[in-house]
Amino acid sequence: MFILAGMSNAKAQQCNITLKGKVMDFHDGDPLFEATLAVKGEQKYAATDFDGSYEITGLCPGDYTIEVRHPECDPEEFNITINSDLEKNFKLEHHIEELNKVTVTGHTYHNKTTSSTETSIHKEDIEKYSSGSLGDALREISGVSSLNTGSTVVKPVIQGLHSSRVLIISNGTRLADQEWGVEHAPNLDVNNANNLTVVKGAGALRYGGDAVGGVIIADSQRPPIKDTLYGSTVLDAFTNGRGGSATSNLAKSYENGWYGRVQGTYKYSGDREAPDYVLSNTGNREKDFSVGFGLDKFKYGFDAFYSFYDAETGILRASHIGSVSDLIRSINSRQPLYEEPFTYDINAPKQMVRHHLAKLSAFKRFENAGKLSLDYSFQLNNRQEYDIRRGDDRDKASLDLDLLTHTLTTNFQWDAVDKLEGNFGVAYSFQENKPNPNTGIRRLIPDYMMTTVGGYATMEYSVNSDLTLDGGIRYDHVYLDALKYYRNSRWEERGYDEDFGSIIVQQLDNQLLANPSFDYDNIAATLGARQQLNDDLVLRANLSSATRAPNPAELFSDGLHHSAAIIELGDLRIKQEQSLKAALSFEGTFSDFSFSVDPYYNHINDFIQLVPTGVEYTNRGSFPVYEYQQVDARLLGIDVQAKYRVSPLFDLASSFAYVNGQDLSKDRPMIDMPAPNWTNTLTFNKQEWNNLRVSIRNQAVFTQARYPDNDFSVSYINDDGQQVSEVLRVSEPPAGYNLWSMNAFMDFNVFTKSTFTAGIFVDNVMNTNYRDYLNRQRYFVDDLGRNFRVQLKLSY
């Protein structure tokens, strides 16, 4: 008995160890109040006081797991060994929003803290365009329109600007995919995006300083840090084109931070149809695939990602004309000169695009400092355009380009000081364009190498709970080196023999080889403020400047751009664009009503535009000639969005966008500016009826009354053999139009944790005949007629 008592006393003496210390923010060491600590396997707990201090008593020697929690942090577990009294500090990640992104139902008008005008759409709305394109989905946002070549080639337009002026960021990587062509759609599967964010202006300096128009950020879903398996499958079928699409994704994550994900999409359709006729040769095929895996720890992690995009798209056969008289008849008569019965076949003219993107990124957090990220990406873009050809070359691509891009970027996010956050980084990019020399056609875009080296710094400072200031600056040096063949006649016609005689490296019988090279210094900056006026109103003001170097097409284009059905002429004298933009945003929320009003003014010196100047006859037909020219430009406009909860069952959403573009050099309106448009959507929502959602939408696009007169007279031999002269009317926009559409969805619970959603869409309900000013095929045919779509989705 005495022995047992002695052992009991010895044990009691050993279990009197005290563990104490503080719980602090990992970044700046600030104490965390009301953090809780639990000793796993023991009934011992503690909470921190205002100084972040805690104390746990009555511990025995041994190994323990301490679980630390805080309302604004992810929980963390720490393994420790205790032999005697121990003082131990624990640090938690206090920036929980960086670790887990939450999808919010509905629209978010703007980012919560910055002064830039940012608008996002989320997965639920993106999935409505599962069978469509990135440009189709982004039209949900006020101020974003599209530049179309038919119905399947859709380029986003932000406040009147597009192509090289709009950066597209796919999974953290700037997309490099021959974006210079008006009929070059982004090589990105919209189904791979969990969120789409549009930054209207040059505010996203981390991604580039040449975003004169803005930045589109497509983020993949980040797996949660827990043991889970989830995914979804979406099937679409539609009548206009008699096709469909299927997309599926699956993700697996673990509590230890490991995760993996895979996604794939397939689209198939035949000829589209206008209300009165078939749009011959407008089918498309698309096959997309992506896979990724990584480790997401609190202090470090990495992500490996690969995506493949493969699309074959038919180009309207009626847009390729054989003679000048046919071209004039087609443009001036508003009737297609070529029409065949519906088919799934895709013949020339067409384009085939394959895009590979591989990325490896890693990060490391440093106490009392911040987070260092390193990203490397490789992209290979192959673009082939097929013209209508005869003989042995009929199946050979007329344009065949390989674009290889290597990019290395670093970013250090400094957040060690309360109320102040900075981002600092450097970026390097090497790009090489390698045209196939065996196409039998003069190269539209030459061999070139382009190197870009840059650096940036941005800061955000919270003056108080209501006022936040932000600013940044970026510098990029661009070096472009090309080898380009010119016909002697074109060289002299453009006046290059006087201005660029020193760059000739080889003189042949009827052509010469030139070696143009250029250096550009691009500087971009932004400065802004966000003021919370009261609980309901927020005001943002932002001033940004961006410089964009001309792209290779604007400098070197020299010949027939086959899928655009135009002859393009660049100019070696083209200089950099310089943009200065002022933007305001006034937004508010009052109970059942919310709104955002965003006026802006954008002044662009040496704005590069592509304008029609004549007609040229080639051995492949007659085509309009478009030249790249520079003018000083002014764009001012306004974007408005509003939403009103009419009743518990009905919501009314409205958006309006207007942009006024003026050519200051010639004192006339600018070409290819979006027409004013007003969209209204009434939605009925009844959760008790399997979450029934029914929406009716009206899109009113007004006639573009502001356009330059670029019509010109053409002399040609008509069908009777007579020499005639006629005006080719390429300037006047089509009439405005109203389109009605509707959709309805219902959710059904199936299996244990799965939801089945069934939806039906009707586009262009009234089967309206219309032509859009920003559709490059408006000269030849009407736009799409009525379309029924059925969508089935299984979330698991």
Side-chain angles (χ1 to χ4, degrees):
M1 180 181 298
F2 290 107
I3 296 174
L4 291 175
M7 292 177 61
S8 177
N9 289 336
K11 183 175 181 180
Q13 291 173 357
Q14 292 174 352
C15 294
N16 60 359
I17 297 175
T18 298
L19 173 66
K20 64 180 181 179
K22 290 186 176 184
V23 178
M24 300 179 292
D25 179 13
F26 178 86
H27 296 274
D28 53 23
D30 284 349
L32 297 181
F33 173 54
E34 291 188 339
T36 60
L37 299 91
V39 182
K40 300 192 73 172
E42 304 280 344
Q43 296 296 316
K44 294 185 180 297
Y45 307 92
T48 60
D49 57 20
F50 285 102
D51 294 328
S53 300
Y54 73 92
E55 183 175 300
I56 301 174
T57 60
L59 296 174
C60 302
D63 297 328
Y64 293 94
T65 298
I66 311 297
E67 183 180 58
V68 186
R69 292 178 174 270
H70 187 270
E72 298 178 6
C73 306
D74 267 11
E76 288 286 329
E77 292 184 354
F78 301 88
N79 297 317
I80 63 174
T81 300
I82 298 178
N83 295 311
S84 60
D85 289 348
L86 178 65
E87 185 169 334
K88 175 70 175 178
N89 296 332
F90 299 106
K91 295 188 176 183
L92 295 183
E93 166 58 61
H94 196 223
H95 295 190
I96 187 172
E97 72 279 0
E98 183 180 333
L99 297 179
N100 291 305
K101 295 181 179 178
V102 179
T103 298
V104 180
T105 302
H107 294 270
T108 301
Y109 285 151
H110 296 310
N111 179 278
K112 295 299 182 184
T113 60
T114 68
S115 66
S116 298
T117 305
E118 301 182 11
T119 310
S120 297
I121 56 176
H122 302 290
K123 192 66 173 178
E124 182 179 348
D125 289 319
I126 295 172
E127 285 176 342
K128 295 177 183 178
Y129 300 93
S130 177
S131 60
S133 68
L134 175 69
D136 294 324
L138 289 174
R139 283 194 295 241
E140 288 274 336
I141 297 175
S142 178
V144 180
S145 51
S146 63
L147 181 65
N148 289 30
T149 301
S151 60
T152 53
V153 180
V154 185
K155 292 180 72 72
V157 179
I158 300 177
Q159 294 178 339
L161 302 174
H162 58 83
S163 299
S164 297
R165 301 180 185 93
V166 174
L167 310 186
I168 297 178
I169 310 302
S170 173
N171 201 39
T173 299
R174 177 171 173 169
L175 203 61
D177 62 346
Q178 304 278 10
E179 81 283 358
W180 43 267
V182 294
E183 86 308 348
H184 296 188
N187 299 160
L188 182 149
D189 178 15
V190 69
N191 295 293
N192 198 30
N194 189 64
N195 295 282
L196 291 172
T197 300
V198 174
V199 183
K200 298 174 181 177
L205 294 180
R206 176 175 177 177
Y207 301 110
D210 52 348
V212 177
V215 181
I216 297 169
I217 303 172
D219 287 325
S220 299
Q221 185 170 8
R222 188 169 187 170
I225 306 175
K226 63 180 182 178
D227 290 331
T228 183
L229 176 67
Y230 60 94
S232 65
T233 297
V234 181
L235 304 177
D236 276 85
F238 45 86
T239 59
N240 198 331
R242 308 180 197 182
S245 70
T247 184
S248 187
N249 65 84
L250 185 66
K252 171 63 178 173
S253 63
Y254 300 89
E255 192 172 355
N256 61 11
W258 286 96
Y259 62 85
R261 60 191 186 274
V262 64
Q263 180 267 340
T265 299
Y266 181 72
K267 302 177 184 179
Y268 186 96
S269 71
D271 291 338
R272 301 311 205 273
E273 297 180 49
D276 300 325
Y277 44 77
V278 173
L279 304 174
S280 295
N281 200 53
T282 55
N284 77 297
R285 315 280 186 268
E286 186 178 322
K287 301 185 289 290
D288 308 313
F289 172 78
S290 68
V291 61
F293 69 93
L295 176 66
D296 193 3
K297 288 286 191 180
F298 171 60
K299 294 185 179 180
Y300 60 90
F302 78 92
D303 182 79
F305 176 79
Y306 168 78
S307 66
F308 175 63
Y309 175 93
D310 183 356
E312 180 181 10
T313 305
I315 302 298
L316 179 73
R317 178 62 179 85
S319 66
H320 286 240
I321 308 300
S323 66
V324 175
S325 58
D326 286 344
L327 176 63
I328 292 176
R329 186 181 304 116
S330 177
I331 291 179
N332 291 353
S333 70
R334 297 180 59 85
Q335 290 294 323
L337 297 186
Y338 185 94
E339 182 186 357
E340 295 288 342
F342 173 88
T343 180
Y344 287 101
D345 296 338
I346 299 178
N347 301 308
K350 66 178 181 179
Q351 54 181 241
M352 298 177 65
V353 180
R354 296 176 180 87
H355 190 85
H356 302 264
L357 188 157
K359 178 189 177 185
L360 182 62
S361 59
F363 73 88
K364 170 68 176 175
R365 300 180 192 274
F366 298 91
E367 293 187 26
N368 303 320
K371 175 182 175 182
L372 177 65
S373 302
L374 177 66
D375 299 314
Y376 166 75
S377 66
F378 169 76
Q379 298 180 69
L380 171 60
N381 183 269
N382 174 250
R383 180 176 187 84
Q384 296 178 322
E385 298 184 2
Y386 291 81
D387 194 14
I388 301 171
R389 306 173 72 176
R390 296 171 177 82
D392 296 337
D393 291 335
R394 70 166 71 79
D395 297 324
K396 184 182 295 186
S398 300
L399 182 72
D400 189 352
L401 303 175
D402 279 334
L403 184 67
L404 291 83
T405 306
H406 298 268
T407 305
L408 182 65
T409 62
T410 65
N411 181 76
F412 184 74
Q413 181 184 6
W414 178 67
D415 52 11
V417 177
D418 189 30
K419 297 184 179 182
L420 182 64
E421 181 178 306
N423 281 275
F424 310 91
V426 295
Y428 170 81
S429 174
F430 174 78
Q431 190 172 85
E432 184 177 11
N433 188 60
K434 299 194 299 184
N436 183 346
N438 300 315
T439 61
I441 302 294
R442 180 177 297 276
R443 305 176 197 178
L444 178 67
I445 303 296
D447 299 64
Y448 71 81
M449 292 185 295
M450 184 164 61
T451 302
T452 304
V453 180
Y456 62 90
T458 65
M459 299 293 290
E460 182 178 315
Y461 176 60
S462 298
V463 179
N464 52 48
S465 59
D466 295 329
L467 176 62
T468 301
L469 305 177
D470 60 67
I473 189 167
R474 179 172 179 129
Y475 167 79
D476 290 283
H477 178 76
V478 181
Y479 175 69
L480 179 60
D481 186 25
L483 282 174
K484 167 72 176 174
Y485 283 97
Y486 286 91
R487 294 196 308 267
N488 291 337
S489 57
R490 185 79 79 188
W491 182 264
E492 296 173 0
E493 170 193 303
R494 308 294 292 174
Y496 293 159
D497 52 333
E498 298 180 4
D499 296 338
F500 298 99
S502 61
I503 68 173
I504 298 174
V505 296
Q506 188 177 8
Q507 185 79 47
L508 304 173
D509 291 338
N510 60 354
Q511 64 179 354
L512 54 86
L513 177 63
N515 178 209
S517 62
F518 301 93
D519 284 277
Y520 301 101
D521 293 303
N522 294 340
I523 298 178
T526 179
L527 180 66
R530 175 192 179 275
Q531 175 70 53
Q532 186 81 38
L533 301 176
N534 55 41
D535 291 341
D536 303 316
L537 298 174
V538 176
L539 177 66
R540 303 171 196 270
N542 182 267
L543 184 66
S544 62
S545 174
T547 308
R548 184 181 75 88
N551 64 44
E554 294 162 342
L555 291 168
F556 307 127
S557 288
D558 178 25
L560 179 60
H561 194 172
H562 305 276
S563 59
I566 61 176
I567 292 173
E568 292 183 14
L569 298 178
D571 194 332
L572 294 177
R573 305 177 188 86
I574 284 181
K575 301 177 293 186
Q576 296 157 283
E577 289 181 344
Q578 180 66 56
S579 163
L580 182 62
K581 182 177 182 180
L584 292 175
S585 176
F586 183 60
E587 59 190 89
T589 302
F590 302 92
S591 182
D592 295 330
F593 177 70
S594 60
F595 71 92
S596 171
V597 179
D598 307 331
Y600 60 90
Y601 180 94
N602 197 354
H603 184 98
I604 308 175
N605 287 329
D606 296 315
F607 179 82
I608 305 169
Q609 58 181 355
L610 186 63
V611 297
T613 57
V615 170
E616 189 170 309
Y617 184 79
T618 74
N619 56 8
R620 292 180 298 282
S622 297
F623 299 95
V625 177
Y626 279 69
E627 296 186 25
Y628 287 102
Q629 300 176 356
Q630 287 192 284
V631 298
D632 289 339
R634 181 265 295 147
L635 287 80
L636 61 87
I638 189 169
D639 301 331
V640 180
Q641 296 185 95
K643 191 173 184 178
Y644 178 57
R645 172 60 60 91
V646 181
S647 73
L649 298 179
F650 289 95
D651 290 321
L652 178 63
S654 183
S655 65
F656 174 80
Y658 171 75
V659 57
N660 180 303
Q662 183 73 9
D663 178 345
L664 301 178
S665 299
K666 299 180 180 179
D667 192 23
R668 65 177 189 174
M670 290 176 60
I671 192 172
D672 291 341
M673 288 291 106
N677 59 88
W678 185 24
T679 301
N680 292 280
T681 305
L682 180 65
T683 301
F684 171 82
N685 194 325
K686 184 73 171 178
Q687 291 188 350
E688 294 80 5
W689 297 352
N690 292 98
N691 196 23
L692 173 65
R693 287 105 58 206
V694 179
S695 294
I696 299 175
R697 171 177 293 192
N698 173 260
Q699 181 188 23
V701 178
F702 301 91
T703 302
Q704 177 56 279
R706 304 188 75 258
Y707 60 92
D709 182 5
N710 288 315
D711 295 345
F712 47 84
S713 180
V714 179
S715 297
Y716 64 97
I717 305 296
N718 65 15
D719 296 337
D720 298 327
Q722 298 177 332
Q723 179 79 27
V724 296
S725 180
E726 191 168 351
V727 175
L728 187 60
R729 305 189 183 281
V730 296
S731 301
E732 185 176 357
Y737 57 88
N738 263 279
L739 294 182
W740 290 90
S741 62
M742 63 83 62
N743 62 70
F745 293 89
M746 293 185 74
D747 297 332
F748 304 90
N749 294 323
V750 295
F751 309 119
T752 305
K753 295 183 179 180
S754 299
T755 302
F756 175 75
T757 303
I760 184 171
F761 302 77
V762 186
D763 305 313
N764 193 358
V765 173
M766 309 303 292
N767 206 28
T768 301
N769 293 88
Y770 73 99
R771 301 191 182 198
D772 190 274
Y773 178 54
L774 292 187
N775 192 328
R776 297 305 293 264
Q777 293 180 353
R778 67 180 174 87
Y779 298 117
F780 310 105
V781 291
D782 288 339
D783 224 305
L784 292 182
R786 185 185 296 115
N787 182 35
F788 292 92
R789 289 190 288 143
V790 175
Q791 185 177 91
L792 305 176
K793 175 189 173 184
L794 180 64
S795 300
Y796 39 84

